[in-house]
Amino acid sequence: MKRVMVTGGAGFLGSHLCERLLKDGCEVLCVDNFFTGRKENIVHLIDNPYFEIIRHDVTFPLYVEVDEIFNLACPASPIHYQFDPVQTLKTSVHGAINMLGLAKRTKAKIFQASTSEVYGDPQPETYWGRVNPIGIRSCYDEGKRCAETLFSDYHRQHGLKIKIARIFNTYGPRMNVNDGRVVSNFIVQALKGEDITIYGEGEQTRSFCYVDDLIDGFIRLMNTADNVIGPINLGNPNEFTIRQLAERILTLTDSRSRLVFRPLPQDDPQQRQPDITKAKTVLGWQPSIMLDEGLKKTISYFDEFLVGNRAANN
Ligand code: NAD
Ligand code: UDP
């Protein structure tokens, strides 16, 4: 039985990945310091004898025996990664060094959850990026860039088997209700009948990938031959303006919330759309879940979550 470790396993993407790996017949070791991750995300897996959880901060070394590592530990939303920027950088950089060291000792294959933010602009994998090194998003962007460098050097210098995925905006159940990301913000605002906060004019674009599609891309990439190391863009190429997203969510929730406009945060990218040519050819992968379908599932999750919270507070 393959023993697979998932760092950041109690987070949004990590919890879906743990679930999928268990379903595929793997033994799963979930490692998380619970900064943004939650026990509620994985509580349904606890009774599975092939699921184990360790509270651990990846900025410190870890000694376990594993066959594969998915390195997802890192706060992903601007509110959380800007809360303690130095810790964000340590998580990406020291976390990568520690997990690569572990992979080297155990000869494990290792996957890095990188990000579209390494580009600064939406581009194919051949573009090297134009990223602000001293801005408020830099602790995330540059930390992830450095992690990619570390992965590449461990591959060249020590022959490690590596896989780098550059993930574009992903949404779905178990997104953190208050992490400030646009899909969770808009759905919660719409369900509560509160104003929908559009930053700027709402003309900036994003392309939203449903979590199940993304996790399928992770597994395909991890299972490629050793000469496939990436980076490979994973995301949904269907692009929407933020205003269009707000309007879809209003319709699907049948909400009477009003759209209100707020200042655009500093360094907010104007456009983001993945070029997934490489994922299509190398992995035979492309997203199959349309925005409306994914939004409906995410809305049901938040609906239940909010009802549960109200009941708990009464
Ligand atoms: P998330 O915040 O829900 O999950 C991150 C997890 O990492 C959390 O469980 C958190 O507690 C844990 N963590 C943070 N610092 C840690 C540390 N020092 N030690 C151990 N655990 C730590 O975010 P997510 O959306 O699930 O993102 C997962 C990964 O995917 C991240 O690396 C993120 O950068 C990357 N990513 C996500 C998206 C997206 O749209 N969701 C896009 C691009 C990249
Ligand atoms: N955004 C918005 N209203 C919100 C939250 C976000 O208009 O309540 C915008 C934000 O300015 C950005 C886009 O939505 O242009 C996506 O933001 P998110 O934080 O989800 O992800 P990222 O900027 O990292 O792509």
Side-chain angles (χ1 to χ4, degrees):
M1 197 176 213
K2 201 160 56 179
R3 198 179 305 167
V4 186
M5 179 168 111
V6 180
T7 75
F12 162 48
L13 298 180
S15 62
H16 286 273
L17 178 60
C18 289
E19 211 169 73
R20 166 72 190 261
L21 289 166
L22 287 168
K23 213 176 278 171
D24 288 353
C26 303
E27 197 173 328
V28 176
L29 182 56
C30 167
V31 173
D32 208 295
N33 70 349
F34 295 103
F35 172 42
T36 52
R38 290 174 301 142
K39 291 199 176 136
E40 290 76 9
N41 288 344
I42 44 163
V43 71
H44 60 295
L45 305 177
I46 297 284
D47 286 340
N48 188 321
Y50 298 106
F51 182 72
E52 230 178 309
I53 175 141
I54 304 181
R55 178 188 286 268
H56 176 79
D57 182 329
V58 295
T59 63
F60 296 98
L62 177 66
Y63 295 90
V64 288
E65 307 307 314
V66 288
D67 303 308
E68 288 182 359
I69 302 168
F70 283 89
N71 188 36
L72 271 60
C74 184
S77 78
I79 289 184
H80 289 132
Y81 69 65
Q82 287 164 10
F83 172 74
D84 184 349
V86 172
Q87 170 68 8
T88 302
L89 273 160
K90 282 187 187 168
T91 297
S92 274
V93 179
H94 293 185
I97 292 173
N98 288 329
M99 295 309 112
L100 286 161
L102 172 58
K104 185 172 163 229
R105 183 178 59 79
T106 57
K107 299 191 172 47
K109 186 153 60 163
I110 179 163
F111 171 107
Q112 168 65 357
S114 193
T115 168
S116 54
E117 296 277 306
V118 300
Y119 296 122
D121 273 318
Q123 298 291 341
E125 292 86 342
T126 46
Y127 177 67
W128 292 346
R130 181 178 176 277
V131 175
N132 176 359
I134 54 171
I136 59 170
R137 293 176 85 108
S138 310
C139 61
Y140 184 69
D141 307 359
E142 296 291 22
K144 290 285 188 182
R145 287 175 65 90
C146 182
E148 286 200 12
T149 309
L150 283 162
F151 268 70
S152 306
D153 282 328
Y154 267 80
H155 171 68
R156 277 186 292 261
Q157 195 176 330
H158 298 298
L160 249 66
K161 296 175 192 156
I162 63 155
K163 312 280 175 192
I164 299 174
R166 289 191 180 147
I167 306 164
F168 285 66
N169 295 65
T170 302
Y171 70 100
R174 301 197 204 123
M175 286 183 92
N176 212 317
V177 70
N178 53 13
D179 75 1
R181 278 189 274 189
V182 68
V183 174
S184 44
N185 265 13
F186 286 2
I187 292 180
V188 171
Q189 289 163 345
L191 290 173
K192 288 182 165 175
E194 292 171 356
D195 290 348
I196 306 273
T197 53
I198 295 188
Y199 301 159
E201 303 289 310
E203 292 309 311
Q204 70 273 35
T205 68
R206 293 293 186 274
S207 320
F208 300 100
C209 185
Y210 187 68
V211 61
D212 291 356
D213 276 334
L214 185 81
I215 299 299
D216 189 51
F218 281 13
I219 302 289
R220 282 174 191 248
L221 176 54
M222 196 57 145
N223 290 339
T224 49
D226 291 348
N227 64 337
V228 178
I229 61 172
I232 293 197
N233 287 345
L234 292 177
N236 192 322
N238 291 337
E239 193 179 2
F240 297 88
T241 66
I242 292 304
R243 201 187 177 116
Q244 284 172 327
L245 176 74
E247 277 154 8
R248 284 315 305 150
I249 290 175
L250 281 180
T251 308
L252 294 172
T253 50
D254 205 13
S255 168
R256 296 171 64 181
S257 291
R258 290 178 316 140
L259 303 186
V260 296
F261 295 85
R262 300 273 179 263
L264 193 65
Q266 190 188 324
D267 287 347
D268 198 271
Q270 193 48 35
Q271 194 214 1
R272 197 172 303 124
Q273 183 192 28
D275 175 341
I276 60 162
T277 315
K278 205 167 159 187
K280 278 186 185 161
T281 49
V282 178
L283 310 179
W285 176 88
Q286 64 178 354
S288 63
I289 298 162
M290 295 290 121
L291 185 68
D292 272 16
E293 187 188 344
L295 284 178
K296 280 183 198 159
K297 293 184 193 198
T298 314
I299 289 166
S300 322
Y301 167 80
F302 279 113
D303 209 8
E304 271 178 41
F305 182 90
L306 294 176
V307 170
N309 262 14
R310 270 197 297 274
N313 291 333
N314 281 338

